[in-house]
Amino acid sequence: MADARQEVRTEMAKARAELGSDNLSLDQGLHFGKDGKRKSAGKDSLPAAQITPKGDFLVDGKAVAINPQQRQQLLDYRGQVIELARVGIDGGELAAMAALDATDVSLFSLIVGGLSGSLERRVEASVKQHVEPLVRQICQRLPQVLESQQQLATSLPQFQPYATLERGDIDECERDLRNEFATR
């Protein structure tokens, strides 16, 4: 189990590092909810778009002309999205560790726990205790991200097709949080 824990930590650290150094891809937009997908009315044919760590806005690999205010808006938006992703990675790591902790028992205990349902209850309790606050953070930060996205779309017309976060996504995040972490 120690190897599995170390592998999880290593992979999550790698993912966190890539967030800060890689371009932020906007192609799939921001979507929340159970499947994270929404019908994209004609958006499948959009050229690839990215925000670089320096605040450049690239569409189809080419830099879009921006002014200093737009660069700052791009950097602010990028930072907010990356922070959401980091919180998500933290939640994923905690959930993986909770599952590893719950199954780090003797084979006999694992079988009995699986048959009696106590293993599932232990994993659920641990996930609820550690992951729910992180999911709540994501939901609570979405209105700020939406506002930043809308300001950027107003300021930089080329960004508009990639501004996919909607108020309904925020509502769905909150609804899913209530449903998924309701006391069972």
Side-chain angles (χ1 to χ4, degrees):
M1 285 291 174
D3 288 344
R5 284 184 181 84
Q6 187 55 46
E7 185 177 343
V8 167
R9 285 186 193 104
T10 300
E11 289 301 315
M12 296 298 112
K14 180 181 171 189
R16 284 184 195 95
E18 288 172 356
L19 283 175
S21 62
D22 289 355
N23 291 350
L24 175 66
S25 175
L26 303 175
D27 304 346
Q28 300 301 314
L30 287 177
H31 304 289
F32 291 84
K34 287 202 181 293
D35 63 3
K37 296 179 184 171
R38 173 181 32 212
K39 296 212 185 302
S40 56
K43 300 210 189 266
D44 292 335
S45 61
L46 286 175
Q50 300 174 327
I51 302 173
T52 70
K54 292 183 177 184
D56 293 312
F57 183 54
L58 309 177
V59 176
D60 212 14
K62 298 178 183 98
V64 173
I66 56 172
N67 64 38
Q69 177 189 357
Q70 291 166 328
R71 180 177 306 280
Q72 189 57 55
Q73 288 175 318
L74 286 160
L75 286 168
D76 291 346
Y77 178 74
R78 182 181 192 283
Q80 290 172 7
V81 172
I82 286 174
E83 187 54 34
L84 287 180
R86 282 194 176 117
V87 172
I89 289 170
D90 291 347
E93 183 174 0
L94 285 171
M97 292 301 180
L100 289 170
D101 288 344
T103 57
D104 191 10
V105 295
S106 71
L107 181 57
F108 177 76
S109 295
L110 192 58
I111 292 170
V112 170
L115 293 174
S116 69
S118 65
L119 175 63
E120 181 180 355
R121 287 190 296 277
R122 276 198 319 265
V123 171
E124 282 181 2
S126 183
V127 167
K128 181 176 174 119
Q129 176 186 359
H130 298 292
V131 177
E132 181 182 8
L134 297 176
V135 175
R136 189 171 306 286
Q137 277 183 41
I138 290 171
C139 291
Q140 290 171 343
R141 291 179 183 180
L142 287 179
Q144 180 183 353
V145 174
L146 177 62
E147 182 179 331
S148 176
Q149 174 193 264
Q150 290 174 333
Q151 289 173 354
L152 185 54
T154 300
S155 170
L156 184 61
Q158 296 91 329
F159 180 81
Q160 287 176 358
Y162 304 97
T164 59
L165 184 64
E166 299 173 351
R167 178 67 211 173
D169 294 315
I170 298 168
D171 297 339
E172 188 172 352
C173 185
E174 293 166 352
R175 186 174 46 254
D176 287 349
L177 178 67
R178 283 190 306 272
N179 292 339
E180 292 298 322
F181 293 103
T183 304
R184 297 176 190 220

